[in-house]
Amino acid sequence: MSKKTIEVVVNGRTHRAEVPARRMLSDFLRDDLFLTGTKRGCETGVCGCCSVLIDGEVIKSCLSLAVHADGHEVTTIEGLAVDGVLHPVQEAFVNHGGLQCGYCTPGFIMTTVAMLNDNPNPTEDEIRHGLNGNLCRCTGYVGIVESIKAAAEKLRGN
Amino acid sequence: MKDFDYLEPASIAEASEMMLAHPGGSVMAGGTALMLALRQRMVTPSHVISLRRIRDLRGITHTPAEGLRIGALALHAEVARSPLVRQHAPMLADMASRLANPQVRNQGTIGGNLCYGDPATDPPSCLLALNADVVLRSARGTRVLKVDQFATDYFATALEPGEIVSEIRIPPSAFDAGYHARFLRTAAEHRPLVNFAVSLRKQGDACEDVRMVIGASTRVPTRLRKAEDWMKGKTVTARLAAEVADLGASEIEPISDIRGDGSFRRDMARTACRRTIEDLFNPAGSAATSAA
Ligand SMILES: Cc1cc2nc3c(=O)[nH]c(=O)nc-3n(C[C@H](O)[C@H](O)[C@H](O)COP(=O)(O)OP(=O)(O)OC[C@H]3O[C@@H](n4cnc5c(N)ncnc54)[C@H](O)[C@@H]3O)c2cc1C
Ligand code: FES
Ligand code: FES
């Protein structure tokens, strides 16, 4: 088996690991680092539940090799809370019915964090378009959009 | 996914040599298309040759004489937000900002998009309407092709063994307006059922010159030459827009697949064409409503 040594900063911690060249980033996070907050759903780039941040930009970790993360910074859902205090986006999803079964939630939250970094005051239309890489089978999206509006407001300091 | 060896060449020449040394290998840019093919074992390369360390494939620059140069590794998101692209080819930046979804825009490259030859994509028709050049390089030298020479058939390109696309060039042009419209089968779809790209030069209500292309519904992006000829030099009325759209729709050979059959695609191509022209000219009597 062809192996490669990679160095990746995940949620602020540097990991040096030897991985098979064909290891997907999603599998590396879940099976090697045991960060199981990142989900595997379709594994074909459609559902978005595997979304993570690389150097602050949201990507689908099922479409990327772990070796491609070498030398980069990855943030997963586990990296958002600080000292047990939820990130404002997480808190908003809890308070505004942004989830039911929760399987899609880590992906929606990572996408939202990136969206609000780029655009702190999105319109409802921008929120909906910004979510078109994420699928939710439970909520009907209304609670998710409400959560994002509330999170945006909180992050803007209102 | 089958096991493979992973290589990271540092230059175009090195990449080209690796490709020739490993004829069973695959080149990878962002990986969004290749990963799916690997996972489904549609391709089982002996080597994956990643282009990500090749600096000459990056960057977006502009000179008044040569126009825009977009490195093959430019991400869709980089094309969308580049001030140079927004200034000199606004329809390309606009198209890139609406393509796929935020994640794929941060992962997929413009070069990978062209090289995969997947008809259900947006950049090829847009680039053909912009008269773009595709620059191919290998250890043997450089070739420059137009998009319709580069895209040869369904999932097929003019790339030869050892060749990679290094950049896309968009020459300065006399066109002063344009738009790329994409029509999705349902709002939840990612990929276009049909898209329509137009570059034109206006003189008041008249169209002095025009290039029109249908993509995503045909094996390769297709110029609407009869429709172009009919439109040139005429005042654009709602009636002319309808005539141009009828002619254009008759010129394409639509594909049939899970996204839609050929006759549906022809209808949607006609509609996208008519609505886009109406939006650009806003003639009296048109029901101008944007295509998606
Ligand atoms: C969920 C989803 C939705 C999508 N929706 C859209 C959409 O709405 N519109 C749209 O246009 N596209 C869409 N796409 C397609 C996407 O744009 C392409 O997958 C992407 O641009 C391919 O680029 P890449 O860098 O990831 O290519 P890779 O996967 O790395 O490579 C693709 C192919 O090109 C070859 N290759 C790559 N770069 C080069 C090069 N420089 N020289 C020679 N060969 C090369 C590779 O060998 C491979 O065969 C979607 C994809 C996904 C997964
Ligand atoms: S698991 Fe990655 S997009 Fe569905
Ligand atoms: S909450 Fe169940 S899939 Fe979204």
Side-chain angles (χ1 to χ4, degrees):
Chain A
M1 202 190 312
S2 155
K3 295 209 166 193
K4 292 281 157 194
T5 301
I6 59 172
E7 199 173 291
V8 190
V9 178
V10 182
N11 300 332
R13 236 188 91 195
T14 304
H15 295 267
R16 246 180 101 81
E18 198 182 52
V19 295
R22 62 178 171 174
R23 176 75 91 236
M24 304 303 304
L25 179 58
S26 48
D27 297 337
F28 173 68
L29 294 169
R30 289 179 54 87
D31 302 339
D32 294 344
L33 303 186
F34 305 113
L35 294 170
T36 52
T38 300
K39 300 302 180 213
R40 282 185 290 235
C42 66
E43 302 201 87
T44 53
V46 174
C47 74
C49 75
C50 64
S51 299
V52 300
L53 309 187
I54 293 217
D55 302 335
E57 305 285 355
V58 67
I59 63 140
K60 300 191 178 190
S61 60
C62 75
L63 289 180
S64 199
L65 292 176
V67 285
H68 255 203
D70 178 33
H72 293 276
E73 275 187 41
V74 178
T75 309
T76 70
I77 188 78
E78 289 90 345
L80 293 184
V82 181
D83 297 330
V85 178
L86 293 183
H87 185 280
V89 175
Q90 291 174 303
E91 205 189 329
F93 270 67
V94 172
N95 292 338
H96 293 84
L99 62 140
Q100 288 179 23
C101 80
Y103 201 80
C104 68
T105 313
F108 271 97
I109 289 181
M110 298 318 289
T111 303
T112 303
V113 169
M115 182 200 304
L116 298 182
N117 268 340
D118 283 352
N119 180 4
N121 195 4
T123 62
E124 173 150 349
D125 205 46
E126 286 168 337
I127 293 175
R128 289 182 176 271
H129 274 100
L131 298 177
N132 71 350
N134 293 77
L135 295 178
C136 174
R137 300 304 302 271
C138 302
T139 63
Y141 302 98
V142 174
I144 293 176
V145 173
E146 287 306 313
S147 305
I148 296 173
K149 285 184 188 162
E153 206 173 312
K154 174 138 193 217
L155 283 165
R156 289 198 308 272
N158 297 337
Chain B
M1 194 184 306
K2 288 259 167 57
D3 196 23
F4 53 75
D5 225 330
Y6 176 77
L7 303 171
E8 284 188 345
S11 67
I12 294 172
E14 199 187 336
S16 177
E17 280 158 22
M18 285 176 177
M19 289 164 79
L20 292 172
H22 307 292
S26 291
V27 163
M28 183 166 88
T32 58
L34 187 67
M35 280 306 114
L36 296 180
L38 291 181
R39 174 166 265 141
Q40 292 164 7
R41 298 194 181 180
M42 295 197 298
V43 288
T44 51
S46 61
H47 293 74
V48 168
I49 303 165
S50 169
L51 302 177
R52 72 172 184 144
R53 301 222 184 260
I54 306 180
R55 301 190 62 133
D56 289 349
L57 301 180
R58 293 193 184 273
I60 299 177
T61 54
H62 177 268
T63 61
E66 304 223 325
L68 272 172
R69 176 207 173 272
I70 302 175
L73 284 185
L75 301 169
H76 299 304
E78 290 171 336
V79 173
R81 64 174 172 250
S82 158
L84 288 174
V85 181
R86 292 166 79 111
Q87 185 183 346
H88 299 288
M91 68 191 262
L92 183 68
D94 183 51
M95 177 280 299
S97 74
R98 287 176 290 124
L99 170 165
N101 51 64
Q103 292 93 327
V104 170
R105 292 197 290 272
N106 284 328
Q107 279 170 287
T109 66
I110 190 165
N113 187 294
L114 288 181
C115 292
Y116 203 49
D118 183 344
T121 58
D122 296 298
S125 52
C126 194
L127 290 169
L128 184 55
L130 288 164
N131 195 24
D133 291 306
V134 185
V135 182
L136 296 76
R137 293 184 204 270
S138 70
R140 293 189 305 273
T142 301
R143 295 197 291 155
V144 180
L145 300 179
K146 290 293 174 191
V147 174
D148 49 1
Q149 300 168 315
F150 178 78
T152 52
D153 204 346
Y154 194 70
F155 285 95
T157 69
L159 278 167
E160 284 178 5
E163 251 183 345
I164 62 177
V165 168
S166 61
E167 70 222 56
I168 320 292
R169 292 195 197 137
I170 299 172
S173 86
F175 293 121
D176 55 19
Y179 194 69
H180 179 275
R182 55 202 293 273
F183 178 83
L184 310 182
R185 191 175 50 117
T186 70
E189 271 271 327
H190 295 242
R191 286 166 177 275
L193 176 90
V194 56
N195 52 46
F196 171 73
V198 50
S199 288
L200 50 79
R201 194 167 69 249
K202 282 187 185 179
Q203 176 67 262
D205 293 340
C207 165
E208 277 193 350
D209 197 6
V210 64
R211 280 173 77 95
M212 290 187 277
V213 182
I214 286 288
S217 266
T218 44
R219 299 173 79 84
V220 289
T222 305
R223 279 278 294 276
L224 308 180
R225 292 183 190 268
K226 286 185 201 153
E228 289 173 2
D229 287 344
W230 188 248
M231 190 165 160
K232 271 179 214 168
K234 294 200 172 82
T235 297
V236 179
T237 58
R239 173 155 178 194
L240 184 79
E243 287 167 1
V244 168
D246 280 342
L247 260 181
S250 73
E251 287 184 71
I252 60 169
E253 283 178 47
I255 50 175
S256 292
D257 65 12
I258 45 158
R259 259 183 213 98
D261 70 18
S263 62
F264 177 46
R265 287 188 133 109
R266 197 188 297 281
D267 285 346
M268 291 305 110
R270 180 187 299 112
T271 305
C273 176
R274 178 178 53 76
R275 285 187 184 166
T276 307
I277 295 171
E278 286 182 353
D279 278 353
L280 286 166
F281 283 89
N282 222 344
S286 75
T289 40
S290 292

